Amino acid sequence: MAHQDCVSLGEKAAGVFEADGTQAEIEYELTLLSRYHALARQRGGQKLDRSAYLILARLELEPPMSLRELSEAFRLDISTINRQVGALERHGYVERVADPAGGAARKIEPTRAGLDQLHDDRDLNCRGIGAVLDGWSETDIAELRNVLTRFNRDVERLEGQPWPRPHGR
């Protein structure tokens, strides 16, 4: 059924949604959401690209991680993560450190400059979200947060890949 809902959207020449195409409509709205997020970066003065932002956000919430741990967390090949970490290193946003647990592999941790840039970009994102939500009721804002959190947690559950959250939320 889910597959049919998404296929039915593509089959409609005029792009009109079928009455039972709720999942296709959700997919479309998620596509637009990712587009708007990318546009916000272009217009908003954010310095970090998407991969840098996500890696720093992950490292902010966990102890230093090895390339392999990052590769597994992001479900990316180790060469891709190594390239992304290398770019962060060149900007001074992360550094390789000895494993605090005494293991042989070097670990990656954010630098103060990396965390400062992450926080600056996050503040810009939050201001943009605040502008969109201006005029929304507290109830609607809380409902949006709860539904997004539930959706993301269910994706994580299905993938068997929980993501850390600030303040254990």
Side-chain angles (χ1 to χ4, degrees):
M1 166 110 179
H3 178 69
Q4 278 185 324
D5 283 343
C6 287
V7 171
S8 66
L9 174 62
E11 292 172 351
K12 291 291 192 178
V16 178
F17 295 100
E18 292 180 0
D20 66 347
T22 303
Q23 291 167 347
E25 291 179 38
I26 292 169
E27 185 278 336
Y28 188 77
E29 293 302 328
L30 289 171
T31 299
L32 291 178
L33 185 63
S34 68
R35 175 182 176 269
Y36 298 142
H37 186 71
L39 289 175
R41 182 181 178 277
Q42 292 170 6
R43 286 188 239 136
Q46 288 95 337
K47 303 277 192 264
L48 299 171
D49 67 24
R50 182 179 175 273
S51 65
Y53 188 95
L54 290 171
I55 290 169
L56 285 168
R58 179 72 185 234
L59 292 171
E60 177 185 36
L61 296 176
E62 294 198 305
M65 297 175 74
S66 69
L67 288 174
R68 177 152 316 283
E69 290 166 332
L70 284 167
S71 170
E72 290 169 2
F74 285 94
R75 294 191 173 202
L76 292 172
D77 166 288
I78 200 156
S79 64
T80 301
I81 286 291
N82 191 40
R83 199 169 37 257
Q84 293 170 343
V85 166
L88 285 166
E89 257 184 312
R90 284 189 294 283
H91 285 93
Y93 292 152
V94 299
E95 60 188 353
R96 296 176 195 252
V97 299
D99 183 349
R106 305 278 294 167
K107 300 281 184 155
I108 311 301
E109 75 176 1
T111 62
R112 181 77 260 151
L115 291 175
D116 287 347
Q117 189 59 61
L118 174 66
H119 297 160
D120 288 349
D121 281 14
R122 184 177 291 142
D123 288 346
L124 284 169
N125 291 338
C126 287
R127 283 198 299 275
I129 291 167
V132 172
L133 298 177
D134 186 42
W136 286 39
S137 71
E138 286 186 34
T139 301
D140 286 347
I141 292 170
E143 182 179 353
L144 176 63
R145 180 201 61 220
N146 293 340
V147 168
L148 287 172
T149 301
R150 179 179 176 192
F151 182 86
N152 284 329
R153 286 185 186 276
D154 283 349
V155 168
E156 294 161 16
R157 178 185 49 79
L158 289 171
E159 289 188 341
Q161 198 78 358
W163 201 259
R165 287 185 166 66
H167 315 296
R169 292 178 48 154

